[in-house]
Amino acid sequence: MEHKIKDHSNAAARFLKDEERATWHDETLWFVRSKRDKAAQQLPEWESLREMASGIKAHTLSHLDKYLLAFEAKAKANGVHVHWATDAEEHNRIVYSILAKHKAKNVVKSKSMLTEECGLNHHLESQGISVVDTDLGEYIVQLRKEQPSHIVLPAIHLKKEDVSNTFHECLQTEKNNFDPAYLTNSARIVLREKFLEADAAITGVNFAVAETGSIVICTNEGNADLGVHSAPLHIACMGIEKLIPKAKHLGIFLRLLARSATGQPITSYSSHFRRPRKGQEMHIVLVDNGRTQQLGRKDFKDSLKCIRCGACLNTCPVYRRSGGHSYHNSVAGPIGAILAPNLDMRKNADLPFASTLCGSCTNVCPVKINIHEQLWSWRQILMKEWYGSPAKKASMKAMAFVLSRPRMYKLSGKIGRKIMQWLPGLVNNRLNPWHKNREMPQAPRQSFNEWYEKNKR
């Protein structure tokens, strides 16, 4: 089982010890990224869709108060109970109070990164309520008592052999039966019973429409639909940034979401919920939990445009080679690294540094979030606020001293090249993190400037 390590570089080193798994993880996610590229290239209007989605989100965030109130009024008129939660604690308290009022003891839940962010499962279980995650990937990691390692593919860090062993231990399936169809059907049989005996269904929300007071939930397994339509109580938990103004805007986001996430033209189920069915009660919990604070940060407010497709994770060379659990946060990868410091700078000060700043995340983002620039901005703030390690701060000061003095820079380069030529053991050793997984390059005899001075005409 995975153990939580609150430092990205240490956790990544642990993940990389299994070189075969790390390579497989890297290649699998790049395969998903390639599918995304093919799906995007099939739409000539792809860039126009990205531009429109980014503009709609920017407009909505600029008028969020107005759209939230409009959504609340419409939802209430539809017969839905609307609640407001300032933080994770209040969100959990509200959900529990609704369940307690209905004497609900068995809950089925579809995938919701917000409830992961709030730690809802742990809170409800501590109150004696059974919560079963019904998305297959979520169910697997729940059985293993792990967090999801990916927004869209929560068990992407596991191979079929891992799933087989977990199911054998928890569901008493055949030992060493690695057939995906057998394993999926085994989970289906167990989950079907959970759906039938559920007192309540909890779902996330992909999009909420201010114009109609309705919500949209996207799944590939239909588990949200099955839970909502079989239980007498539906609780939908959504971050306040999930709003869009009008129903006509949905087509833009639905086309972008599935293609960016998995390369599909559309998710198998895009389910619209406007009001409770006859005899059912429906609640929507609107959660802030730091989002208004992020909205007030000029350099970071655009991070709230995120539609949780996971494309930035699939393309990130650091995420692919370090695994989702190394981010010690409910949302991993580049987008998580710009959202997490807003909630807790000290706890998440390492995450913005888990990037090469190559910009690939920004290039694939369907709503055009400038992710790599925000990572760079967080680094400036964290170092200025003294959240960086003393060693990093000292090394950055030394670099600034050398790079701002041309003569010192030339001299340092010359000394460094000589050391690498004459005493390679001083840099090719275990004390140098760059040498742990790669050979240092052979030092050139002269710098480019020296070569240019000799060869210029």
Side-chain angles (χ1 to χ4, degrees):
M1 302 290 178
E2 196 73 24
H3 297 284
K4 201 172 183 180
I5 299 175
K6 295 185 177 180
D7 179 84
H8 181 271
S9 60
N10 286 337
R14 186 164 176 261
F15 181 79
L16 287 166
K17 281 183 179 176
D18 188 341
E19 291 186 17
E20 184 183 347
R21 183 182 292 268
T23 301
W24 168 81
H25 188 264
D26 180 15
E27 293 175 349
T28 302
L29 286 165
W30 187 251
F31 172 71
V32 180
R33 155 71 205 261
S34 302
K35 284 180 65 183
R36 172 262 175 209
D37 290 348
K38 289 176 185 172
Q41 288 162 8
Q42 289 172 357
L43 288 185
E45 67 273 30
W46 180 254
E47 289 304 318
S48 298
L49 287 172
R50 289 180 71 206
E51 199 64 50
M52 284 191 285
S54 181
I56 292 167
K57 278 289 186 178
H59 168 81
T60 311
L61 291 171
S62 297
H63 302 83
L64 192 57
D65 55 340
K66 172 185 136 186
Y67 285 121
L68 280 168
L69 291 176
F71 174 79
E72 180 189 33
K74 285 289 183 183
K76 283 183 173 177
N78 294 336
V80 178
H81 300 266
V82 179
H83 310 261
W84 297 81
T86 304
D87 53 26
E89 186 180 342
E90 188 173 11
H91 163 263
N92 294 344
R93 193 165 59 244
I94 290 170
V95 173
Y96 173 69
S97 69
I98 299 168
L99 294 172
K101 180 183 171 188
H102 287 263
K103 296 182 171 53
K105 288 294 181 184
N106 298 302
V107 174
V108 287
K109 185 161 75 67
S110 66
K111 188 151 64 67
S112 160
M113 295 312 298
L114 175 67
T115 58
E116 293 288 341
E117 173 187 319
C118 295
L120 180 64
N121 281 19
H122 177 73
H123 178 76
L124 294 182
E125 286 165 0
S126 71
Q127 302 294 328
I129 294 176
S130 167
V131 184
V132 177
D133 282 299
T134 55
D135 172 274
L136 181 58
E138 288 268 351
Y139 183 55
I140 293 167
V141 296
Q142 184 183 32
L143 289 176
R144 296 171 60 88
K145 304 187 190 309
E146 295 177 350
Q147 278 194 325
S149 65
H150 190 288
I151 298 173
V152 178
L153 312 163
I156 191 63
H157 59 293
L158 300 172
K159 295 184 175 183
K160 59 184 179 183
E161 292 81 2
D162 302 316
V163 177
S164 175
N165 292 336
T166 301
F167 280 11
H168 174 67
E169 181 182 335
C170 301
L171 307 181
Q172 289 75 54
T173 56
E174 292 175 16
K175 190 173 177 60
N176 297 328
N177 189 332
F178 306 136
D179 179 25
Y182 167 75
L183 295 171
T184 304
N185 192 51
S186 300
R188 184 176 182 273
I189 292 170
V190 175
L191 289 173
R192 187 54 61 105
E193 290 299 318
K194 300 295 182 186
F195 281 117
L196 293 176
E197 64 187 26
D199 303 311
I202 296 176
T203 69
V205 173
N206 288 94
F207 304 102
V209 183
E211 177 186 39
T212 61
S214 59
I215 59 173
V216 178
I217 304 169
C218 303
T219 70
N220 274 327
E221 299 168 23
N223 53 311
D225 300 67
L226 195 52
V228 171
H229 289 107
S230 58
L233 175 64
H234 175 199
I235 305 173
C237 305
M238 62 171 271
I240 56 175
E241 81 283 12
K242 292 298 179 75
L243 274 179
I244 58 173
K246 295 181 179 296
K248 69 179 183 182
H249 297 144
L250 273 172
I252 297 169
F253 290 98
L254 291 176
R255 295 177 81 191
L256 287 167
L257 177 63
R259 288 177 170 89
S260 299
T262 58
Q264 295 169 252
I266 193 80
T267 46
S268 301
Y269 300 87
S270 298
S271 307
H272 300 241
F273 298 95
R274 180 176 294 194
R275 59 176 60 90
R277 70 174 190 278
K278 191 176 180 181
Q280 187 190 46
E281 202 168 291
M282 180 176 174
H283 296 252
I284 297 177
V285 187
L286 298 164
V287 184
D288 183 339
N289 201 33
R291 285 160 175 78
T292 50
Q293 180 175 265
Q294 187 85 329
L295 190 60
R297 296 181 190 272
K298 181 184 171 187
D299 291 338
F300 305 109
K301 62 182 176 63
D302 279 357
S303 62
L304 296 175
K305 291 179 178 178
C306 179
I307 59 173
R308 301 294 194 271
C309 67
C312 61
L313 283 70
N314 301 338
T315 198
C316 177
V318 176
Y319 175 86
R320 295 200 318 267
R321 295 292 298 179
S322 62
H325 288 156
S326 64
Y327 289 80
H328 59 77
N329 185 50
S330 58
V331 179
I335 187 65
I338 59 175
L339 292 172
N342 176 59
L343 293 174
D344 190 332
M345 278 197 210
R346 183 172 300 283
K347 179 183 172 187
N348 301 303
D350 56 324
L351 297 183
F353 294 91
S355 168
T356 62
L357 300 184
C358 65
S360 186
C361 48
T362 300
N363 287 340
V364 300
C365 178
V367 288
K368 307 193 92 167
I369 302 173
N370 57 334
I371 299 174
H372 73 293
E373 291 175 353
Q374 293 192 35
L375 287 166
W376 181 81
S377 297
W378 268 122
R379 292 184 185 186
Q380 313 307 308
I381 292 174
L382 292 166
M383 294 305 290
K384 191 176 178 182
E385 298 288 329
W386 295 92
Y387 288 111
S389 68
K392 187 184 289 292
K393 202 164 185 69
S395 64
M396 290 297 107
K397 279 191 173 182
M399 287 294 290
F401 180 81
V402 172
L403 294 175
S404 61
R405 292 167 174 77
R407 287 186 180 177
M408 178 68 74
Y409 173 72
K410 288 180 183 176
L411 179 63
S412 301
K414 189 169 289 186
I415 293 172
R417 288 193 296 276
K418 294 301 180 188
I419 288 176
M420 290 180 70
Q421 289 167 9
W422 295 341
L423 302 168
L426 284 181
V427 289
N428 291 325
N429 59 58
R430 300 184 67 180
L431 296 176
N432 178 7
W434 280 90
H435 182 67
K436 285 183 180 176
N437 293 299
R438 61 178 73 82
E439 293 294 327
M440 293 294 286
Q442 191 172 8
R445 291 179 177 275
Q446 57 189 354
S447 69
F448 172 77
N449 277 336
E450 291 168 343
W451 176 89
Y452 183 75
E453 288 297 326
K454 285 182 182 177
N455 293 280
K456 70 178 180 181
R457 295 179 181 176

